[in-house]
Amino acid sequence: MSVVDEKLQDIYDEVLRRNPGETEFHQAVREVLDSLGAVVAKNPQYAEAAVIGRLCEPERQIIFKVAWVDDSGTVQINRGFRVEFNSALGPYKGGLRFHPSVNLGIVKFLGFEQIFKNSLTGMPIGGGKGGSDFDPKGRSEAEVMRFCQAFMTELYRHIGEYTDVPAGDIGVGGREVGYLFGQYKRITNRYESGVLTGKGLSWGGSQVRTEATGYGLVFFTDEVLRARGDSFEGKQVVVSGSGNVAIYAIEKVHQLGGTVVACSDSAGYVVDRDGLDLQLIKEIKLGRRGRISEYVDLKGGTATRYAKEGSIWEVPCDIALPSATQNELNAADATSLIANGCTIVAEGANMPCTPGGIRRLTEAGVVFAPGKAANAGGVATSALEMQQNASRDSWTFEHTEERLANIMRGIHDRCMETADEYGVPGSYLIGANIAGFTRAADAMLAQGII
Ligand code: GLU
């Protein structure tokens, strides 16, 4: 497959050559390069200083062993990663993912996305990502704690409030951030609040950080609707996933007058024509870390059903918010959404739509909002947490939520203005990629060949 611009094709070929087999990373790079043709044509200095090629090479890639002992006394060996991708705009910033699918290619794709996402927020944060192939599912509290402590025993030497600031992602929430922070503090003998974000409210965390990715996604989608003279009122919405992003996306959609009729986990999806009962989902997923299939029995009635087979994207909706994981919505899913009249797809997860899925959606005139814009509310609120930590302050929920809403509006408008400027009005995808790129690229140019 060829990338539009010849110079960009060379960069892409080099990425393929240097990173064999890392298909998700290739996909993430390609999606950005595909958007940059007009920028390099207009700004030859980027090519002269090889800014794009440099952006595709992580500044530092750390891979380490995590050995720990499980409850039965058996030694477990996992692999830990931290990819410090780009620090032109600030300390490396991005989450940690604990999931059996994690490998270097996955962490690189996520770290690469994070550069542009963080840049788009307009805040002083670079891009990075990390994680492990550790699977928290089915592990006891004590095992999760010991794993987190073993993981931090290596990671601590690479991070710091001015260096690299991890947070959560899939499999890493408040509980894990707590264990990680405790171990960092124990090893370094420093109460360095700004070294991690997503902390508990009583020990340096920020209001709204838990809700931020989901709320931000819905604020962004609300801006998309507003730009079309529309609102969430009366809209049917499908949100895939039932983790941190999905749960708070559902909450905000309901607050804004929409109805979420389906959500999922890795085993299947539930449909509730009356609108999902979020309290029940929170009890199942947050309370006892159970399966979404339990919803149907607990809710009762005839409006609900659970499906193990098929795709959640077959459920009719006006708006789809894929918020589970990468590549969960392909061309066939896009076809189902289009046939059922869906008009907006906004990504709550990182890269949930495949390139074929995005192509089909955009060709059919469905508005597509890429994750690096639509799900940036999480990391943006992490940056607000860092601000509060730096000033030893803590803000109210209302103030923080308003800041988040303003940030999402700013990202929306930046995408639209950039898309207009480059002759692709209405393209959130190209607008996000170009706006995210230029801020980071200009900082790199200013800082020399480093
Ligand atoms: N993991 C989240 C993301 O994908 C948040 C990262 C952070 O807060 O640093 O953006």
Side-chain angles (χ1 to χ4, degrees), residues 93-373:
K93 183 81 196 84
L96 298 170
R97 176 177 291 192
F98 291 169
H99 191 271
S101 65
V102 167
N103 57 41
L104 184 60
I106 296 273
V107 179
K108 265 152 90 172
F109 120 62
L110 291 163
F112 185 75
E113 289 272 305
Q114 204 82 44
I115 304 171
F116 303 90
K117 183 194 310 197
N118 294 4
S119 167
L120 260 180
T121 65
M123 301 168 103
I125 39 180
K129 202 88 182 191
S132 173
D133 58 1
F134 170 72
D135 187 359
K137 217 176 268 158
R139 289 290 179 193
S140 70
E141 279 293 319
E143 288 177 319
V144 170
M145 181 180 78
R146 284 200 300 279
F147 175 79
C148 289
Q149 291 176 339
F151 183 85
M152 183 54 86
T153 300
E154 169 63 28
L155 186 70
Y156 89 94
R157 70 189 80 247
H158 307 291
I159 63 176
E161 67 173 311
Y162 296 110
T163 312
D164 183 356
V165 183
D169 195 81
I170 294 173
V172 179
R175 172 180 68 171
E176 289 75 16
V177 169
Y179 296 147
L180 292 164
F181 185 77
Q183 183 72 350
Y184 181 86
K185 182 164 65 67
R186 177 157 76 158
I187 296 171
T188 60
N189 192 29
R190 284 163 64 86
Y191 204 107
E192 191 184 333
S193 299
V195 70
L196 288 169
T197 60
K199 299 181 293 298
L201 291 179
S202 63
W203 45 277
S206 173
Q207 295 284 358
V208 195
R209 178 62 193 89
T210 308
E211 296 85 353
T213 314
Y215 277 20
L217 169 67
V218 176
F219 285 143
F220 189 94
T221 310
D222 197 38
E223 291 300 322
V224 174
L225 285 160
R226 204 192 304 266
R228 285 154 183 77
D230 205 347
S231 78
F232 265 104
E233 203 61 54
K235 295 285 185 298
Q236 300 268 304
V237 182
V238 169
V239 180
S240 64
S242 49
N244 174 262
V245 181
I247 284 177
Y248 294 101
I250 296 169
E251 186 159 287
K252 190 49 82 179
V253 169
H254 286 169
Q255 284 174 14
L256 296 184
T259 305
V260 181
V261 292
C263 75
S264 61
D265 64 15
S266 57
Y269 66 92
V270 288
V271 182
D272 189 339
R273 282 279 144 215
D274 295 336
L276 290 169
D277 178 341
L278 186 60
Q279 208 40 51
L280 189 53
I281 293 173
K282 282 186 179 173
E283 243 168 76
I284 297 170
K285 298 307 285 192
L286 303 179
R288 40 198 157 89
R289 298 176 189 267
R291 307 303 302 178
I292 203 67
S293 56
E294 296 165 37
Y295 181 90
V296 176
D297 282 345
L298 291 167
K299 176 81 192 288
T302 53
T304 61
R305 72 183 168 89
Y306 173 69
K308 273 209 298 272
E309 310 291 337
S311 160
I312 190 172
W313 308 118
E314 288 160 14
V315 179
C317 63
D318 304 303
I319 297 169
L321 304 176
S323 305
T325 193
Q326 65 271 3
N327 293 328
E328 52 156 316
L329 194 164
N330 62 23
D333 298 321
T335 302
S336 307
L337 286 170
I338 295 160
N340 288 325
C342 174
T343 57
I344 299 174
V345 175
E347 295 185 319
N350 291 312
M351 211 169 72
C353 297
T354 66
I358 297 172
R359 210 172 308 122
R360 191 151 303 171
L361 291 170
T362 45
E363 278 167 10
V366 174
V367 179
F368 173 73
K372 41 175 102 64

